[in-house]
Amino acid sequence: MGVDVKKLSTLAEAVASISDGAHVALSGFAITRCNMAFAAEVIRQGIKGLTVSQCVGAMDADLLAGAGSIEHIVYGGGSLDRFGRLNCVNRRIEGETLIAEEYSSLSMAFRYLAGSLGLPFIPIRSLRGSDILRRLQEVAPSNVNTVDDPFTGDNWLVLKPLVPDVAVVQVQVADEEGNAWILGPRWDNEEQVKASKRAIVVTERLVSPEAIRRDPERTVIPGFRVSHVVHLPFAAHPTSVYRAYDYDADHIRRYVDASKTPEGFQEYLDKYVYGVQDHWAYLDLVGGMKHLTSLAADPVLGY
């Protein structure tokens, strides 16, 4: 049987498969392996009403929040690491225009794990007695509950599983069938994919299925879970991808300064999202290959 290459698609085609109001799980973590090109294309296509879930809120979610693409965020808090707060997410939460369902990072991972295993719920100890739980009981009472252990009679806090419509995962290596490697920290990405109804893989490098099969233990995402494979170098810019490129500190500072006000953020969108036709035009705008090459990862350190 020949290789099915129908999964190979452009970023625009992959994003177009997502409907208004869908639940999208994002793989990004602060300023690492964020789905930045994906988020920009969602904004350009005018997709609205999304629910975004993410173990740790990151730059991709902040961009989507600022542009008004999402109306509900399910996450374990977050930031732009040493560069500051998620200004757009926080501003919309404070303005009561974004529903925020905030967990601990561990409990987010548990919810994805429950979804990946097909469980009706999952018990957890760590939220008991916390302000996080008190707030969840106010904003998302249908997602937290208690049950009695049938073996001991102990009362357990339980969480509802997360089952996103689609997981969007930024990876280092994938083949055209969707089999993908995640090098370095994986966080909750494997459980995200298994919990979701399908996955979109955005890869820095596209290799042959034979190359993937030579190291089968590296395959974190199996191709049968993937609907679209997008080969798009520097798709996480200005965030980092381990063993590919480091974060672009100057651009992140530019984003943070812009996102402090709605007016500044709109100027950022007008220039870097709406002002370019696609990701390739964006890369030219931020400095082209001369600048991007300066971010290339050290072959020893990996970043």
Side-chain angles (χ1 to χ4, degrees):
M1 182 180 294
V3 174
D4 179 7
V5 297
K6 294 179 182 178
K7 293 181 182 180
L8 277 177
S9 65
T10 65
L11 179 63
E13 290 168 341
V15 169
S17 73
I18 296 173
S19 60
D20 289 347
H23 176 180
V24 181
L26 297 177
S27 65
F29 187 108
I31 54 169
T32 302
R33 237 175 359 92
C34 296
N35 303 279
M36 299 305 298
F38 167 83
E41 184 61 25
V42 166
I43 295 166
R44 280 192 288 266
Q45 292 194 20
I47 299 171
K48 299 289 185 181
L50 297 177
T51 291
V52 160
S53 63
Q54 195 166 42
C55 191
V56 171
M59 191 172 180
D60 43 11
D62 197 61
L63 186 67
L64 289 167
S69 301
I70 65 177
E71 64 179 27
H72 187 182
I73 186 167
V74 185
Y75 72 144
S79 72
L80 297 180
D81 201 83
R82 66 186 182 89
F83 296 96
R85 305 165 70 239
L86 298 176
N87 287 327
C88 295
V89 167
N90 291 338
R91 181 164 54 246
R92 286 195 56 196
I93 292 173
E94 291 161 5
E96 298 183 349
T97 61
L98 179 65
I99 300 169
E101 194 176 329
E102 186 169 351
Y103 295 79
S104 65
S105 298
L106 176 64
S107 52
M108 279 295 297
F110 269 44
R111 291 196 69 193
Y112 284 128
L113 177 61
S116 73
L117 294 174
L119 300 177
F121 55 82
I122 191 165
I124 190 169
R125 291 187 185 274
S126 68
L127 293 179
R128 286 279 198 181
S130 68
D131 286 340
I132 291 177
L133 178 58
R134 178 186 57 78
R135 177 63 176 162
L136 285 171
Q137 289 168 333
E138 295 173 357
V139 302
S142 62
N143 292 333
V144 293
N145 213 321
T146 59
V147 297
D148 291 331
D149 183 339
F151 300 104
T152 67
D154 293 341
N155 186 257
W156 277 82
L157 176 68
V158 294
L159 303 175
K160 187 176 181 179
L162 276 171
V163 184
D165 294 305
V166 57
V168 183
V169 188
Q170 184 77 37
V171 305
Q172 287 92 342
V173 181
D175 67 15
E176 54 199 5
E177 297 175 359
N179 302 296
W181 297 351
I182 298 176
L183 308 180
R186 300 175 183 177
W187 305 304
D188 55 335
N189 292 172
E190 184 174 1
E191 289 74 25
Q192 279 181 324
V193 170
K194 291 179 179 177
S196 299
K197 297 173 184 176
R198 64 185 178 96
I200 293 172
V201 164
V202 182
T203 184
E204 294 292 328
R205 295 184 60 194
L206 187 70
V207 300
S208 68
E210 290 74 21
I212 291 287
R213 293 186 190 117
R214 280 198 289 269
D215 289 296
E217 69 278 5
R218 284 181 145 189
T219 301
V220 176
I221 300 173
F224 73 88
R225 295 187 177 275
V226 177
S227 64
H228 295 74
V229 179
V230 180
H231 177 212
L232 200 64
F234 290 96
H237 182 275
T239 69
S240 65
V241 174
Y242 178 64
R243 292 200 175 279
Y245 46 89
D246 210 341
Y247 58 77
D248 188 336
D250 289 340
H251 191 93
I252 294 176
R253 291 189 191 99
R254 187 175 304 125
Y255 174 86
V256 170
D257 288 342
S259 66
K260 288 177 180 177
T261 65
E263 297 77 16
F265 183 77
Q266 187 60 52
E267 290 177 5
Y268 181 91
L269 284 182
D270 289 341
K271 181 174 182 179
Y272 293 104
V273 179
Y274 296 123
V276 294
Q277 182 178 0
D278 56 21
H279 179 62
W280 300 110
Y282 164 82
L283 293 183
D284 287 338
L285 180 62
V286 299
M289 286 308 299
K290 181 177 181 180
H291 174 61
L292 297 172
T293 301
S294 71
L295 302 173
D298 181 282
V300 176
L301 298 177
Y303 57 87

